[in-house]
Amino acid sequence: MALTPEEGRWVAHLARLELSDAELATLTRQLAAIVEYVDQLRQVNTDGVEPLAHALAVQNVFRADEPAPSLPVDEALANAPDRRGDFYGVPPVLE
């Protein structure tokens, strides 16, 4: 499926790209190649293929979320350059 220059221009507009005519021609050609490849993939027989979210069998590798004693506040803030009570002091980001 060939894309027209107008379709390439529209895609560039949607992507907020300002392209020269040469760049637009290249973009249109490249997009047409991508669309043709996707069309090839549509022709592959996928009957009996189970949908999957990942190519490999992946298991949760995170540790269990179990409560544990926390670091004391004085120890956590020992090296803070600006301590304000039990908190880190940071410069304001809004006026």
Side-chain angles (χ1 to χ4, degrees):
M1 170 184 174
L3 294 178
T4 64
E6 291 78 28
E7 290 170 323
R9 190 173 291 110
W10 180 245
V11 171
H13 168 75
L14 292 175
R16 305 295 190 255
L17 299 174
E18 293 183 22
L19 303 175
S20 67
D21 289 339
E23 292 170 325
L24 183 61
T26 301
L27 173 83
T28 304
R29 241 185 355 267
Q30 291 172 342
L31 285 175
I34 293 169
V35 171
E36 286 175 20
Y37 183 71
V38 171
D39 193 43
Q40 279 182 339
L41 292 176
R42 266 196 256 169
Q43 297 172 13
V44 174
N45 182 6
T46 58
D47 293 340
V49 177
E50 186 177 335
L52 55 106
H54 201 280
L56 303 173
V58 178
Q59 297 177 15
N60 187 355
V61 296
F62 298 112
R63 65 173 171 78
D65 189 15
E66 298 171 358
S70 183
L71 195 62
V73 172
D74 287 333
E75 206 173 314
L77 298 176
N79 293 323
D82 182 11
R83 180 176 175 175
R84 297 180 189 172
D86 289 343
F87 306 98
Y88 287 98
V90 295
V93 292
L94 302 174
E95 295 181 31

